[in-house]
Amino acid sequence: MLELKDVSVSYGRIAAVQALSLEVKEGEFVGLVGHNGAGKSTTLMTITGALSPVSGEIVFDGQSIVGMAPDEVLRRGIALVPEGRRIFGRLSVGENIKIGATVRKDRKGVDDDIREMLKRFPVLERYWNTSGAKLSGGEQQQLAIARALVSKPKLLLLDEPTLGLAPLMVDRVFEILEGLHASGTTILLVEQNAARTIEMADRTYVLRTGGRIQFHGTAAELAEIGDFETAYIGMGSA
Amino acid sequence: MIVLASSSTYVQYVMDSVAYGSLFALMALSLSLLFGVMGLMNFAYGELIGIGAYTMFYTERYGWFVMVLATFATVIIGALLMEFVAFRPVRHASPSTLLITSFALSIGLQKFAYMVFPPGSPRTVEPIPWLTNQFQVKGVLFSRLEILTWIVTIVLLVGMVLLLKRTALGVQLRASTEDFRMAQLVGVKANWVISSAFAITGFLAAAVTILYMLNHGDVRPNVGQGPLLIAFVGVVIGGLGSLGGAALGGFTLGVVINILSATLPRSIQGHTLMFAFLLVILMLVFQPNGLMGSIEKLRRKRVAQEVPRVAEEPAS
């Protein structure tokens, strides 16, 4: 479904991602972990079209999406839940959800999906007319996920969805992701919480600083790598 | 010496000031919309007023309806061309590049206008007597133009609120003013939303031009510069990035200037703007976030006190 081939991204003269290759198959849950500054968020932003790679190819559903504007990438079926949630604080919860469906034309389908979304995230129905800024961090995260889902994406990208959340809410977010995966949504998750991501994902890519893949595999395969165990497993499990 | 005025004179000040302030509310709102959507302080906005003024001058002979229609058409097209020709190529540039582009465009258009319309015989938009003639009610002088200004401003402000709150485009514009990159990531088309913002700016600029020129009449290439300066300061005192704040700031400054120009002693009336801007500086010393920034701060404080949210509660 999604394939990155030797993708490199730079901020000026600083290389953020170097010759990165990864693949996400339809229906898969793929994790992308690594230390701060490893290039995880840069990778996601490049996939969405918000950043342009200096070299390499990004293919989605058999077509190159390099150079496409973010709205065009979304139209093709890739939605992002960004780091820090970035919900629109001055817009109401309802407006935040509805704007997620901007790329869709089927108004009836959108209404049905919003109703479905409110069943999945009842807290959002309760605060439908409340401005997004007034929600707690966990509620904002649910809103950010609902906003992305209402675009009916084929692939959902999530960037650090548990960052800054209380432990109870972290559990809730992972529970939501598990539910989405079970319902067939293809997911590429960037997380600091490496242990939990590896445990939940079908496969996980581990980035080292400079945006190169250091390890890659299933939870069982990664567990066999001694260096990996020392460097990463303890990292996010606290 | 400050002349003590009768109560009807005070009512007169208020009426005139409200009409005057309304125009700046509309202008400030336009400027704020563009600033919010693309970080652009558009100094070439004054030239939109110039385009409108010349259109009025050349079309008034065909009757007021044609004049109004032509003014709206040329100013909106002018605004869209500005976006397409001058600002789209530098959209992703730094704010300072955008600012310099808007300065360059403003000066370029003014110089071009001086070349095409050299100074010589004065050009004026003739007042429409039915609108501009004054009549007296209980000692207070009114003109239909003044009443029209109030009505048009109220209708446009209400229209803007409805557009921003009730339509998909409005929600996209509000989202874009808050976080343009994120708006793109949820599917908002950058070209569409920016062109719409320029078209709305053009529409409001055309309305302001018509009301302003029917009051002032004098058509010059730099006719928009004076009002533009006041509107800019209005945006700043309203609080950068807040649409409501900008309208409030523009209105407040317009009212203050009008009251000062009516009440200051004749010997210093020529320095009205200096006194008005001194007041602005004084206000910004105490409220650096502007009027709306202060209101927002108070509201957040109240919300924090009234709604102690349960952090991270499970959704179900």
Side-chain angles (χ1 to χ4, degrees), chain A residues 173-195:
Chain A
V173 169
F174 275 108
E175 195 183 297
I176 290 168
L177 297 184
E178 218 161 20
L180 288 173
H181 184 217
S183 66
T185 309
T186 310
I187 293 172
L188 175 58
L189 170 69
V190 159
E191 253 294 331
Q192 285 278 345
N193 194 334

mmCIF file with all atom_site columns, all heavy atoms in Angstrom, chain A residues 173-195:
data_model
loop_
_atom_site.group_PDB
_atom_site.id
_atom_site.type_symbol
_atom_site.label_atom_id
_atom_site.label_alt_id
_atom_site.label_comp_id
_atom_site.label_asym_id
_atom_site.label_entity_id
_atom_site.label_seq_id
_atom_site.pdbx_PDB_ins_code
_atom_site.Cartn_x
_atom_site.Cartn_y
_atom_site.Cartn_z
_atom_site.occupancy
_atom_site.B_iso_or_equiv
_atom_site.pdbx_formal_charge
_atom_site.auth_seq_id
_atom_site.auth_comp_id
_atom_site.auth_asym_id
_atom_site.auth_atom_id
_atom_site.pdbx_PDB_model_num
ATOM 1   N N   . VAL A 1 173 ? -5.769  5.321  24.532 1.00 0.00 ? 173 VAL A N   1
ATOM 2   C CA  . VAL A 1 173 ? -5.348  5.569  23.148 1.00 0.00 ? 173 VAL A CA  1
ATOM 3   C C   . VAL A 1 173 ? -4.900  4.267  22.487 1.00 0.00 ? 173 VAL A C   1
ATOM 4   O O   . VAL A 1 173 ? -5.292  3.967  21.346 1.00 0.00 ? 173 VAL A O   1
ATOM 5   C CB  . VAL A 1 173 ? -4.230  6.643  23.094 1.00 0.00 ? 173 VAL A CB  1
ATOM 6   C CG1 . VAL A 1 173 ? -3.592  6.710  21.703 1.00 0.00 ? 173 VAL A CG1 1
ATOM 7   C CG2 . VAL A 1 173 ? -4.780  8.006  23.475 1.00 0.00 ? 173 VAL A CG2 1
ATOM 8   N N   . PHE A 1 174 ? -4.106  3.458  23.196 1.00 0.00 ? 174 PHE A N   1
ATOM 9   C CA  . PHE A 1 174 ? -3.669  2.176  22.623 1.00 0.00 ? 174 PHE A CA  1
ATOM 10  C C   . PHE A 1 174 ? -4.865  1.255  22.375 1.00 0.00 ? 174 PHE A C   1
ATOM 11  O O   . PHE A 1 174 ? -4.895  0.518  21.390 1.00 0.00 ? 174 PHE A O   1
ATOM 12  C CB  . PHE A 1 174 ? -2.626  1.502  23.519 1.00 0.00 ? 174 PHE A CB  1
ATOM 13  C CG  . PHE A 1 174 ? -1.227  2.010  23.243 1.00 0.00 ? 174 PHE A CG  1
ATOM 14  C CD1 . PHE A 1 174 ? -0.574  2.847  24.143 1.00 0.00 ? 174 PHE A CD1 1
ATOM 15  C CD2 . PHE A 1 174 ? -0.572  1.682  22.064 1.00 0.00 ? 174 PHE A CD2 1
ATOM 16  C CE1 . PHE A 1 174 ? 0.703   3.333  23.877 1.00 0.00 ? 174 PHE A CE1 1
ATOM 17  C CE2 . PHE A 1 174 ? 0.718   2.166  21.788 1.00 0.00 ? 174 PHE A CE2 1
ATOM 18  C CZ  . PHE A 1 174 ? 1.351   2.990  22.698 1.00 0.00 ? 174 PHE A CZ  1
ATOM 19  N N   . GLU A 1 175 ? -5.832  1.349  23.275 1.00 0.00 ? 175 GLU A N   1
ATOM 20  C CA  . GLU A 1 175 ? -7.061  0.552  23.104 1.00 0.00 ? 175 GLU A CA  1
ATOM 21  C C   . GLU A 1 175 ? -7.783  0.993  21.815 1.00 0.00 ? 175 GLU A C   1
ATOM 22  O O   . GLU A 1 175 ? -8.251  0.162  21.033 1.00 0.00 ? 175 GLU A O   1
ATOM 23  C CB  . GLU A 1 175 ? -7.938  0.849  24.326 1.00 0.00 ? 175 GLU A CB  1
ATOM 24  C CG  . GLU A 1 175 ? -9.091  -0.082 24.599 1.00 0.00 ? 175 GLU A CG  1
ATOM 25  C CD  . GLU A 1 175 ? -9.875  0.447  25.805 1.00 0.00 ? 175 GLU A CD  1
ATOM 26  O OE1 . GLU A 1 175 ? -9.303  0.502  26.906 1.00 0.00 ? 175 GLU A OE1 1
ATOM 27  O OE2 . GLU A 1 175 ? -11.023 0.843  25.623 1.00 0.00 ? 175 GLU A OE2 1
ATOM 28  N N   . ILE A 1 176 ? -7.840  2.298  21.606 1.00 0.00 ? 176 ILE A N   1
ATOM 29  C CA  . ILE A 1 176 ? -8.488  2.826  20.390 1.00 0.00 ? 176 ILE A CA  1
ATOM 30  C C   . ILE A 1 176 ? -7.742  2.328  19.147 1.00 0.00 ? 176 ILE A C   1
ATOM 31  O O   . ILE A 1 176 ? -8.347  1.878  18.169 1.00 0.00 ? 176 ILE A O   1
ATOM 32  C CB  . ILE A 1 176 ? -8.513  4.382  20.418 1.00 0.00 ? 176 ILE A CB  1
ATOM 33  C CG1 . ILE A 1 176 ? -9.491  4.880  21.481 1.00 0.00 ? 176 ILE A CG1 1
ATOM 34  C CG2 . ILE A 1 176 ? -8.875  4.943  19.048 1.00 0.00 ? 176 ILE A CG2 1
ATOM 35  C CD1 . ILE A 1 176 ? -9.377  6.366  21.782 1.00 0.00 ? 176 ILE A CD1 1
ATOM 36  N N   . LEU A 1 177 ? -6.412  2.376  19.208 1.00 0.00 ? 177 LEU A N   1
ATOM 37  C CA  . LEU A 1 177 ? -5.618  1.943  18.052 1.00 0.00 ? 177 LEU A CA  1
ATOM 38  C C   . LEU A 1 177 ? -5.815  0.460  17.771 1.00 0.00 ? 177 LEU A C   1
ATOM 39  O O   . LEU A 1 177 ? -5.918  0.041  16.614 1.00 0.00 ? 177 LEU A O   1
ATOM 40  C CB  . LEU A 1 177 ? -4.130  2.243  18.289 1.00 0.00 ? 177 LEU A CB  1
ATOM 41  C CG  . LEU A 1 177 ? -3.752  3.718  18.452 1.00 0.00 ? 177 LEU A CG  1
ATOM 42  C CD1 . LEU A 1 177 ? -2.244  3.883  18.574 1.00 0.00 ? 177 LEU A CD1 1
ATOM 43  C CD2 . LEU A 1 177 ? -4.266  4.539  17.269 1.00 0.00 ? 177 LEU A CD2 1
ATOM 44  N N   . GLU A 1 178 ? -5.896  -0.302 18.835 1.00 0.00 ? 178 GLU A N   1
ATOM 45  C CA  . GLU A 1 178 ? -6.127  -1.743 18.694 1.00 0.00 ? 178 GLU A CA  1
ATOM 46  C C   . GLU A 1 178 ? -7.478  -1.990 18.004 1.00 0.00 ? 178 GLU A C   1
ATOM 47  O O   . GLU A 1 178 ? -7.585  -2.816 17.098 1.00 0.00 ? 178 GLU A O   1
ATOM 48  C CB  . GLU A 1 178 ? -6.138  -2.388 20.075 1.00 0.00 ? 178 GLU A CB  1
ATOM 49  C CG  . GLU A 1 178 ? -5.494  -3.747 20.105 1.00 0.00 ? 178 GLU A CG  1
ATOM 50  C CD  . GLU A 1 178 ? -5.103  -4.153 21.532 1.00 0.00 ? 178 GLU A CD  1
ATOM 51  O OE1 . GLU A 1 178 ? -5.652  -3.570 22.491 1.00 0.00 ? 178 GLU A OE1 1
ATOM 52  O OE2 . GLU A 1 178 ? -4.263  -5.037 21.676 1.00 0.00 ? 178 GLU A OE2 1
ATOM 53  N N   . GLY A 1 179 ? -8.474  -1.217 18.449 1.00 0.00 ? 179 GLY A N   1
ATOM 54  C CA  . GLY A 1 179 ? -9.816  -1.327 17.868 1.00 0.00 ? 179 GLY A CA  1
ATOM 55  C C   . GLY A 1 179 ? -9.823  -0.959 16.392 1.00 0.00 ? 179 GLY A C   1
ATOM 56  O O   . GLY A 1 179 ? -10.446 -1.626 15.562 1.00 0.00 ? 179 GLY A O   1
ATOM 57  N N   . LEU A 1 180 ? -9.091  0.108  16.054 1.00 0.00 ? 180 LEU A N   1
ATOM 58  C CA  . LEU A 1 180 ? -9.025  0.542  14.654 1.00 0.00 ? 180 LEU A CA  1
ATOM 59  C C   . LEU A 1 180 ? -8.356  -0.526 13.792 1.00 0.00 ? 180 LEU A C   1
ATOM 60  O O   . LEU A 1 180 ? -8.807  -0.828 12.694 1.00 0.00 ? 180 LEU A O   1
ATOM 61  C CB  . LEU A 1 180 ? -8.236  1.860  14.553 1.00 0.00 ? 180 LEU A CB  1
ATOM 62  C CG  . LEU A 1 180 ? -8.922  3.117  15.075 1.00 0.00 ? 180 LEU A CG  1
ATOM 63  C CD1 . LEU A 1 180 ? -7.950  4.293  15.060 1.00 0.00 ? 180 LEU A CD1 1
ATOM 64  C CD2 . LEU A 1 180 ? -10.137 3.450  14.221 1.00 0.00 ? 180 LEU A CD2 1
ATOM 65  N N   . HIS A 1 181 ? -7.283  -1.082 14.318 1.00 0.00 ? 181 HIS A N   1
ATOM 66  C CA  . HIS A 1 181 ? -6.565  -2.123 13.576 1.00 0.00 ? 181 HIS A CA  1
ATOM 67  C C   . HIS A 1 181 ? -7.461  -3.337 13.373 1.00 0.00 ? 181 HIS A C   1
ATOM 68  O O   . HIS A 1 181 ? -7.527  -3.899 12.272 1.00 0.00 ? 181 HIS A O   1
ATOM 69  C CB  . HIS A 1 181 ? -5.291  -2.506 14.343 1.00 0.00 ? 181 HIS A CB  1
ATOM 70  C CG  . HIS A 1 181 ? -4.451  -3.505 13.614 1.00 0.00 ? 181 HIS A CG  1
ATOM 71  N ND1 . HIS A 1 181 ? -3.770  -4.503 14.252 1.00 0.00 ? 181 HIS A ND1 1
ATOM 72  C CD2 . HIS A 1 181 ? -4.183  -3.662 12.295 1.00 0.00 ? 181 HIS A CD2 1
ATOM 73  C CE1 . HIS A 1 181 ? -3.124  -5.240 13.351 1.00 0.00 ? 181 HIS A CE1 1
ATOM 74  N NE2 . HIS A 1 181 ? -3.353  -4.743 12.157 1.00 0.00 ? 181 HIS A NE2 1
ATOM 75  N N   . ALA A 1 182 ? -8.174  -3.691 14.437 1.00 0.00 ? 182 ALA A N   1
ATOM 76  C CA  . ALA A 1 182 ? -9.058  -4.855 14.361 1.00 0.00 ? 182 ALA A CA  1
ATOM 77  C C   . ALA A 1 182 ? -10.163 -4.644 13.328 1.00 0.00 ? 182 ALA A C   1
ATOM 78  O O   . ALA A 1 182 ? -10.610 -5.580 12.675 1.00 0.00 ? 182 ALA A O   1
ATOM 79  C CB  . ALA A 1 182 ? -9.660  -5.128 15.733 1.00 0.00 ? 182 ALA A CB  1
ATOM 80  N N   . SER A 1 183 ? -10.579 -3.363 13.168 1.00 0.00 ? 183 SER A N   1
ATOM 81  C CA  . SER A 1 183 ? -11.647 -3.089 12.189 1.00 0.00 ? 183 SER A CA  1
ATOM 82  C C   . SER A 1 183 ? -11.100 -2.921 10.776 1.00 0.00 ? 183 SER A C   1
ATOM 83  O O   . SER A 1 183 ? -11.813 -2.538 9.856  1.00 0.00 ? 183 SER A O   1
ATOM 84  C CB  . SER A 1 183 ? -12.441 -1.851 12.612 1.00 0.00 ? 183 SER A CB  1
ATOM 85  O OG  . SER A 1 183 ? -11.600 -0.719 12.552 1.00 0.00 ? 183 SER A OG  1
ATOM 86  N N   . GLY A 1 184 ? -9.792  -3.153 10.598 1.00 0.00 ? 184 GLY A N   1
ATOM 87  C CA  . GLY A 1 184 ? -9.227  -3.186 9.246  1.00 0.00 ? 184 GLY A CA  1
ATOM 88  C C   . GLY A 1 184 ? -8.469  -1.947 8.821  1.00 0.00 ? 184 GLY A C   1
ATOM 89  O O   . GLY A 1 184 ? -8.006  -1.869 7.681  1.00 0.00 ? 184 GLY A O   1
ATOM 90  N N   . THR A 1 185 ? -8.338  -0.968 9.707  1.00 0.00 ? 185 THR A N   1
ATOM 91  C CA  . THR A 1 185 ? -7.615  0.258  9.324  1.00 0.00 ? 185 THR A CA  1
ATOM 92  C C   . THR A 1 185 ? -6.116  -0.024 9.272  1.00 0.00 ? 185 THR A C   1
ATOM 93  O O   . THR A 1 185 ? -5.562  -0.657 10.173 1.00 0.00 ? 185 THR A O   1
ATOM 94  C CB  . THR A 1 185 ? -7.870  1.379  10.365 1.00 0.00 ? 185 THR A CB  1
ATOM 95  O OG1 . THR A 1 185 ? -9.275  1.495  10.560 1.00 0.00 ? 185 THR A OG1 1
ATOM 96  C CG2 . THR A 1 185 ? -7.285  2.699  9.919  1.00 0.00 ? 185 THR A CG2 1
ATOM 97  N N   . THR A 1 186 ? -5.491  0.443  8.210  1.00 0.00 ? 186 THR A N   1
ATOM 98  C CA  . THR A 1 186 ? -4.033  0.314  8.087  1.00 0.00 ? 186 THR A CA  1
ATOM 99  C C   . THR A 1 186 ? -3.393  1.468  8.866  1.00 0.00 ? 186 THR A C   1
ATOM 100 O O   . THR A 1 186 ? -3.807  2.619  8.718  1.00 0.00 ? 186 THR A O   1
ATOM 101 C CB  . THR A 1 186 ? -3.603  0.376  6.606  1.00 0.00 ? 186 THR A CB  1
ATOM 102 O OG1 . THR A 1 186 ? -4.406  -0.549 5.879  1.00 0.00 ? 186 THR A OG1 1
ATOM 103 C CG2 . THR A 1 186 ? -2.143  0.049  6.439  1.00 0.00 ? 186 THR A CG2 1
ATOM 104 N N   . ILE A 1 187 ? -2.409  1.128  9.704  1.00 0.00 ? 187 ILE A N   1
ATOM 105 C CA  . ILE A 1 187 ? -1.852  2.143  10.606 1.00 0.00 ? 187 ILE A CA  1
ATOM 106 C C   . ILE A 1 187 ? -0.331  2.180  10.518 1.00 0.00 ? 187 ILE A C   1
ATOM 107 O O   . ILE A 1 187 ? 0.325   1.138  10.481 1.00 0.00 ? 187 ILE A O   1
ATOM 108 C CB  . ILE A 1 187 ? -2.274  1.835  12.072 1.00 0.00 ? 187 ILE A CB  1
ATOM 109 C CG1 . ILE A 1 187 ? -3.794  2.007  12.235 1.00 0.00 ? 187 ILE A CG1 1
ATOM 110 C CG2 . ILE A 1 187 ? -1.522  2.711  13.068 1.00 0.00 ? 187 ILE A CG2 1
ATOM 111 C CD1 . ILE A 1 187 ? -4.322  1.548  13.588 1.00 0.00 ? 187 ILE A CD1 1
ATOM 112 N N   . LEU A 1 188 ? 0.198   3.413  10.478 1.00 0.00 ? 188 LEU A N   1
ATOM 113 C CA  . LEU A 1 188 ? 1.639   3.608  10.669 1.00 0.00 ? 188 LEU A CA  1
ATOM 114 C C   . LEU A 1 188 ? 1.783   4.504  11.887 1.00 0.00 ? 188 LEU A C   1
ATOM 115 O O   . LEU A 1 188 ? 1.399   5.677  11.874 1.00 0.00 ? 188 LEU A O   1
ATOM 116 C CB  . LEU A 1 188 ? 2.268   4.263  9.427  1.00 0.00 ? 188 LEU A CB  1
ATOM 117 C CG  . LEU A 1 188 ? 3.758   4.633  9.532  1.00 0.00 ? 188 LEU A CG  1
ATOM 118 C CD1 . LEU A 1 188 ? 4.620   3.418  9.860  1.00 0.00 ? 188 LEU A CD1 1
ATOM 119 C CD2 . LEU A 1 188 ? 4.251   5.263  8.231  1.00 0.00 ? 188 LEU A CD2 1
ATOM 120 N N   . LEU A 1 189 ? 2.324   3.929  12.949 1.00 0.00 ? 189 LEU A N   1
ATOM 121 C CA  . LEU A 1 189 ? 2.376   4.637  14.234 1.00 0.00 ? 189 LEU A CA  1
ATOM 122 C C   . LEU A 1 189 ? 3.806   5.014  14.600 1.00 0.00 ? 189 LEU A C   1
ATOM 123 O O   . LEU A 1 189 ? 4.689   4.160  14.664 1.00 0.00 ? 189 LEU A O   1
ATOM 124 C CB  . LEU A 1 189 ? 1.786   3.733  15.333 1.00 0.00 ? 189 LEU A CB  1
ATOM 125 C CG  . LEU A 1 189 ? 1.972   4.191  16.779 1.00 0.00 ? 189 LEU A CG  1
ATOM 126 C CD1 . LEU A 1 189 ? 1.141   5.442  17.079 1.00 0.00 ? 189 LEU A CD1 1
ATOM 127 C CD2 . LEU A 1 189 ? 1.585   3.082  17.766 1.00 0.00 ? 189 LEU A CD2 1
ATOM 128 N N   . VAL A 1 190 ? 3.997   6.312  14.859 1.00 0.00 ? 190 VAL A N   1
ATOM 129 C CA  . VAL A 1 190 ? 5.270   6.793  15.398 1.00 0.00 ? 190 VAL A CA  1
ATOM 130 C C   . VAL A 1 190 ? 5.082   6.981  16.894 1.00 0.00 ? 190 VAL A C   1
ATOM 131 O O   . VAL A 1 190 ? 4.132   7.631  17.324 1.00 0.00 ? 190 VAL A O   1
ATOM 132 C CB  . VAL A 1 190 ? 5.661   8.139  14.728 1.00 0.00 ? 190 VAL A CB  1
ATOM 133 C CG1 . VAL A 1 190 ? 6.649   8.903  15.578 1.00 0.00 ? 190 VAL A CG1 1
ATOM 134 C CG2 . VAL A 1 190 ? 6.234   7.897  13.351 1.00 0.00 ? 190 VAL A CG2 1
ATOM 135 N N   . GLU A 1 191 ? 5.958   6.354  17.676 1.00 0.00 ? 191 GLU A N   1
ATOM 136 C CA  . GLU A 1 191 ? 5.774   6.420  19.137 1.00 0.00 ? 191 GLU A CA  1
ATOM 137 C C   . GLU A 1 191 ? 7.103   6.437  19.882 1.00 0.00 ? 191 GLU A C   1
ATOM 138 O O   . GLU A 1 191 ? 8.084   5.845  19.439 1.00 0.00 ? 191 GLU A O   1
ATOM 139 C CB  . GLU A 1 191 ? 4.956   5.200  19.607 1.00 0.00 ? 191 GLU A CB  1
ATOM 140 C CG  . GLU A 1 191 ? 3.546   5.507  20.017 1.00 0.00 ? 191 GLU A CG  1
ATOM 141 C CD  . GLU A 1 191 ? 3.431   6.373  21.251 1.00 0.00 ? 191 GLU A CD  1
ATOM 142 O OE1 . GLU A 1 191 ? 4.306   6.357  22.132 1.00 0.00 ? 191 GLU A OE1 1
ATOM 143 O OE2 . GLU A 1 191 ? 2.421   7.081  21.348 1.00 0.00 ? 191 GLU A OE2 1
ATOM 144 N N   . GLN A 1 192 ? 7.102   7.120  21.024 1.00 0.00 ? 192 GLN A N   1
ATOM 145 C CA  . GLN A 1 192 ? 8.250   7.067  21.941 1.00 0.00 ? 192 GLN A CA  1
ATOM 146 C C   . GLN A 1 192 ? 8.177   5.775  22.751 1.00 0.00 ? 192 GLN A C   1
ATOM 147 O O   . GLN A 1 192 ? 9.187   5.228  23.165 1.00 0.00 ? 192 GLN A O   1
ATOM 148 C CB  . GLN A 1 192 ? 8.183   8.263  22.907 1.00 0.00 ? 192 GLN A CB  1
ATOM 149 C CG  . GLN A 1 192 ? 8.576   9.578  22.303 1.00 0.00 ? 192 GLN A CG  1
ATOM 150 C CD  . GLN A 1 192 ? 10.082  9.756  22.267 1.00 0.00 ? 192 GLN A CD  1
ATOM 151 O OE1 . GLN A 1 192 ? 10.814  9.039  22.928 1.00 0.00 ? 192 GLN A OE1 1
ATOM 152 N NE2 . GLN A 1 192 ? 10.540  10.699 21.453 1.00 0.00 ? 192 GLN A NE2 1
ATOM 153 N N   . ASN A 1 193 ? 6.931   5.347  22.997 1.00 0.00 ? 193 ASN A N   1
ATOM 154 C CA  . ASN A 1 193 ? 6.715   4.167  23.821 1.00 0.00 ? 193 ASN A CA  1
ATOM 155 C C   . ASN A 1 193 ? 7.019   2.911  22.984 1.00 0.00 ? 193 ASN A C   1
ATOM 156 O O   . ASN A 1 193 ? 6.133   2.230  22.476 1.00 0.00 ? 193 ASN A O   1
ATOM 157 C CB  . ASN A 1 193 ? 5.255   4.168  24.297 1.00 0.00 ? 193 ASN A CB  1
ATOM 158 C CG  . ASN A 1 193 ? 5.028   3.178  25.417 1.00 0.00 ? 193 ASN A CG  1
ATOM 159 O OD1 . ASN A 1 193 ? 5.754   2.191  25.539 1.00 0.00 ? 193 ASN A OD1 1
ATOM 160 N ND2 . ASN A 1 193 ? 4.032   3.442  26.244 1.00 0.00 ? 193 ASN A ND2 1
ATOM 161 N N   . ALA A 1 194 ? 8.334   2.624  22.867 1.00 0.00 ? 194 ALA A N   1
ATOM 162 C CA  . ALA A 1 194 ? 8.778   1.580  21.934 1.00 0.00 ? 194 ALA A CA  1
ATOM 163 C C   . ALA A 1 194 ? 8.251   0.202  22.307 1.00 0.00 ? 194 ALA A C   1
ATOM 164 O O   . ALA A 1 194 ? 7.740   -0.526 21.446 1.00 0.00 ? 194 ALA A O   1
ATOM 165 C CB  . ALA A 1 194 ? 10.301  1.568  21.881 1.00 0.00 ? 194 ALA A CB  1
ATOM 166 N N   . ALA A 1 195 ? 8.349   -0.137 23.587 1.00 0.00 ? 195 ALA A N   1
ATOM 167 C CA  . ALA A 1 195 ? 7.978   -1.492 24.005 1.00 0.00 ? 195 ALA A CA  1
ATOM 168 C C   . ALA A 1 195 ? 6.527   -1.796 23.649 1.00 0.00 ? 195 ALA A C   1
ATOM 169 O O   . ALA A 1 195 ? 6.211   -2.855 23.094 1.00 0.00 ? 195 ALA A O   1
ATOM 170 C CB  . ALA A 1 195 ? 8.207   -1.633 25.502 1.00 0.00 ? 195 ALA A CB  1
#
